[in-house]
Amino acid sequence: MTENSQQPQSEPTPELPTQYAPAEVEGKLYERWVERGYFAADAKSDKPAYTIVIPPPNVTGSLHLGHAFQHTLMDALTRRKRMQGYESLWLPGMDHAGIATQNVVERELGKEGKSRHDLGREAFVERVWQWKEEYGGKILGQMRRLGDGVDWSRERFTMDEGLSQAVQTIFKKLYDDELIYRAERIINWCPRCLTAISDIEVEYQDDDGELVSMKYGEGDDTIVVATTRAETMLGDTAVAVHPDDERYRHLVGRRIKLPLTDRTIPVVADTHVDPEFGTGAVKVTPAHDPNDFAIGQRHDLESLTVMDERGVITVHGPFQGLDRFEARSAIVAALRAEGRIVAEKRPYVHSVGHCSRCKTTLEPRLSMQWWVKVGPLAKAAGDAVRDGRVTIHPADMSKRYFDWVDNMHDWCISRQLWWGHRIPVWYGPEGEVVCVGPDEEPPGTEAEGWKQDPDVLDTWFSSGLWPFSTLGWPERTPDLEKFYSTDVLLTGHDIIFFWVARMMMFGLYAMDGEVPFKTIALTGLVRDQFGKKMSKSSGTAVDPLDWMNAYGSDAVRFTLARGANPGTDVPIGEDWVQASRNFANKIWNATRFALMNGATVAGPLPDPSEMTATDRWILSRLNKTVAEVDAFYDDFQFAKLSDALYHFAWDEVFDWYVELSKTTFMAGGEPAKVSGRVLGEVLDVTLRLLHPIVPFVTETLWTTLTGGESVVIAEWPTDSGFRDAGAEREIETLQQVITEVRRFRADQGLQPGQRVPARLTLDGTALAPHEAAIRQLLRLQPEGEAFAATATLPVAGATVALDLSGTIDVAAERKRLAKDLAAAEKEKAQANAKLGNEAFLAKAPDQVVDKIRTRLAKADEDIARIQAQLERLPEA
């Protein structure tokens, strides 16, 4: 354990209110921390750096439990490292969130009866900036409420000047290295957002659709194909069969009539076709299906686009102008009228892609877009984890990472939006294509026939630069030199594909092989108390501010940290937050009691020879807890470290050490001073250990106890190596005696405060020095002249004889226990009968059988307990 980093007052005058009121202290404490610069990192410092960059929340966002969860863990990591002497930087910022933000502002315009096209591009973008300044970043204020110890002086935004320069720089570098190219490919198109979206932004769900089988061709040239998207048949340019399929070999190379049109289309042979699936023949629509596009490329087929950007049919008179879903029904009806429908299956459940932003059914669409050639970048991202430069935690999440980076398709990075980083490419009057870097001038003006590409970059393109662009790249700034590579990326496992892989690719590429972070710590998602996804529609979504208002920020933080097992989802309910509020109150009340009864941090710890066994026990347990907490932090085991601190503080310090020491404090003298100093040390270290998780209550208590400036800048405790196995065994024995007698008292129906005459036989045991504490904690009176032992409890080598003659009705108690015993024996018999029935076991589900086995074990437990109680009762 360490001494305090501030010199304590020699005679502290502790004053704490009788109750802890979080609302009265949290806001003031946070502003004081920021004003004093505790969270500001110094790039010129000689201290070792520790860096975390915040996953930038959307500018449209507000604090939800998922944010609060991850922010609590990141804050705990950076606060601890700061206390350990690191130059700790937690860098905040926001993402411009292209599609989401543009949608919000377009909705606002819609209320005025306008669209973005009414304003024009320049005015619309200005309107978005105005919205961002007025409403954006709400989450940043809420972060202060949670207690986030971020360096506000380094706050960044993905479209601020410096980050925009970084985006333009890396685009130019990738373009020059031929890792960015423009090509016509099938993309995921959202007819609602009117933009391409990447594969990782597609949400697949099972929809009720229809599978329609229809005849193409005439007479001997007839061939049957099936589809779930009949409307795309207007864009068919071939039918494909497997080259080895004897059924269709005579048709390969011939042309057949495409129904409802005046066109004929060829039958082609392609190994992509599965002859065992359906009829073994598939319609080919190269402009509206990625697999068909590949077939079209191999066979030099025409690609016919038959829908516009809103999913409206643009060809063939009778259907022109219909929405894609209206056209589907109309085309099937027309085919049915011609006798070309062979079979219809409704509903036909199949997986359909939806826009993750607006949930609209996506449309595969042939489109000219900008792409990143991810092959070499993805390989580097995989190698960095394989060779150990980057560690994924928990390790079993590595498989998901490799599955993605090892099989990544080229990344479509252009978006048909106005809000975002505009693609820095100009097209000239003679077909010239020029990519312009941040320090270069456009090659010409619009009057000269030059136009900039109208598209903007995918949001993940700019956020993929976040670990180094926020530190000043492409300039080699002092911040970049000091704080890159960052130490930990802590984020949800759900965006390992969206964001983590992008940062790995770009970081390694831009920083000459230097990884963007050394550890990827993946968390689960916050769920409701039943493990289900929280949602507004189901009424299970929770605004963490409501809980912070009701129970304090520390209570919310501790609840979230206590559920944070690496990579697994976190169930949370309001009653758990209430329990954490109770823990904060327990810390408060116990510290207040300790301060009133001699706890002090003044001077060095006394020599162990001057301490009681209770003093040595708690110091030994304290050092073990310090070591345990450190190990859990290094392994990102937040739930385990929170539990360790909870049980040490509540159970061992407050419920045992304080109670066991009361007799010492009451007796006064030198032993009381020694125990007061030990208690002060234990509280000092415990509060410092708790601080990264529950910063507000610990700040108030620690500064009051020690007189130090702030626990934020106090030293992190270290294990002094002090252990006393003998004292630990002695106190464990004492706890065993007290626990056993308390259980017996409860079983006999005695009230906790009810005093009972008792004779203690402790000679020859280590418990002899603890008789006063045993009597105090168990409410045992001296035996007196009329003492008659009616119950004798042999425990841990000691004997506790109790006189219950004046406290309980023995006959009534025996009758009650006999009734309970009969009920337990009946339960056991019923469980045994079912478990012995082979016919029942053969039919019953496993969970039912397990439940009966649990009932049997419980009945056995109850029988043993009741029999022991009966044996200990005196005769009636």
Side-chain angles (χ1 to χ4, degrees), residues 718-847:
T718 55
D719 177 8
S720 71
F722 177 80
R723 301 288 191 275
D724 193 322
E728 289 198 43
R729 286 193 299 271
E730 183 174 326
I731 301 305
E732 285 170 9
T733 303
L734 176 60
Q735 290 172 328
Q736 185 181 350
V737 170
I738 292 170
T739 301
E740 188 65 26
V741 176
R742 278 177 173 166
R743 185 181 297 118
F744 177 76
R745 285 176 58 106
D747 288 343
Q748 308 313 312
L750 296 176
Q751 296 299 313
Q754 190 172 351
R755 295 198 167 273
V756 178
R759 176 185 299 145
L760 304 184
T761 306
L762 307 175
D763 294 343
T765 73
L767 299 174
H770 301 287
E771 179 168 354
I774 293 172
R775 288 189 177 277
Q776 170 70 21
L777 291 176
L778 293 173
R779 303 295 189 267
L780 303 180
Q781 296 177 180
E783 54 194 88
E785 294 181 6
F787 178 82
T790 58
T792 302
L793 305 176
V795 187
T799 302
V800 180
L802 304 173
D803 183 354
L804 304 177
S805 56
T807 56
I808 63 171
D809 183 334
V810 175
E813 186 63 16
R814 279 190 173 279
K815 186 175 179 181
R816 182 185 71 80
L817 289 172
K819 183 178 178 182
D820 290 347
L821 182 61
E825 288 173 336
K826 181 180 178 182
E827 175 75 1
K828 179 179 180 179
Q830 290 175 340
N832 273 326
K834 287 187 176 181
L835 293 173
N837 185 333
E838 294 296 334
F840 169 78
L841 293 176
K843 295 179 181 178
D846 290 344
Q847 60 265 34

Side-chain angles (χ1 to χ4, degrees), residues 481-502:
E481 295 284 354
K482 178 73 175 178
F483 297 112
Y484 190 90
S485 299
T486 69
D487 288 86
V488 177
L489 171 71
L490 190 144
T491 191
H493 62 66
D494 56 323
I495 61 171
I496 190 171
F497 314 128
F498 291 87
W499 191 45
V500 178
R502 309 300 192 205

Side-chain angles (χ1 to χ4, degrees), residues 41-43 89 91 154 470-472 477-484:
D42 183 1
L89 170 61
L91 192 148
R154 286 181 166 84
T470 52
L471 296 172
T477 63
D479 275 3
L480 197 64
E481 295 284 354
K482 178 73 175 178
F483 297 112
Y484 190 90

Side-chain angles (χ1 to χ4, degrees), residues 201-315:
E201 293 173 298
V202 179
E203 290 182 353
Y204 288 94
Q205 67 183 50
D206 288 340
D207 286 358
D208 287 344
E210 61 182 358
L211 181 65
V212 179
S213 298
M214 48 198 181
K215 290 188 295 186
Y216 283 14
E218 304 287 354
D220 292 339
D221 290 348
T222 298
I223 193 166
V224 176
V225 297
T227 183
T228 58
R229 301 165 64 221
E231 68 279 7
T232 64
M233 60 88 56
L234 299 175
D236 287 358
T237 55
V239 170
V241 297
H242 194 277
D244 298 331
D245 195 331
E246 293 291 341
R247 294 171 295 176
Y248 304 116
R249 181 164 290 178
H250 68 288
L251 290 176
V252 174
R254 296 175 64 175
R255 299 185 73 86
I256 61 175
K257 186 170 188 314
L258 180 67
L260 307 182
T261 72
D262 56 4
R263 293 192 292 117
T264 61
I265 58 176
V267 177
V268 299
D270 196 282
T271 55
H272 170 76
V273 180
D274 180 1
E276 303 299 323
F277 183 77
T279 64
V282 297
K283 59 190 285 300
V284 182
T285 321
H288 292 277
D289 183 274
N291 293 320
D292 293 3
F293 178 76
I295 294 174
Q297 293 282 294
R298 288 193 289 272
H299 297 276
D300 196 25
L301 299 176
E302 186 180 5
S303 295
L304 297 179
T305 300
V306 298
M307 288 178 224
D308 68 10
E309 60 184 9
R310 298 183 185 274
V312 174
I313 302 298
T314 58
V315 299

Side-chain angles (χ1 to χ4, degrees), residues 200 378 381-382 385-386 392-408 491-501 520-525 527 566-569:
I200 53 178
V385 175
R386 287 189 170 95
I392 294 180
H393 190 91
D396 58 9
M397 286 284 179
S398 298
K399 183 180 183 302
R400 294 183 65 187
Y401 176 80
F402 290 132
D403 284 348
W404 179 252
V405 298
D406 292 348
N407 300 285
M408 196 181 295
T491 191
H493 62 66
D494 56 323
I495 61 171
I496 190 171
F497 314 128
F498 291 87
W499 191 45
V500 178
I520 302 168
L522 297 170
T523 70
L525 308 178
R527 305 282 186 177
T568 59
D569 290 348

Side-chain angles (χ1 to χ4, degrees), residues 128 331 381 482 531 720 854:
V128 181
I331 287 171
K482 178 73 175 178
S720 71
T854 301

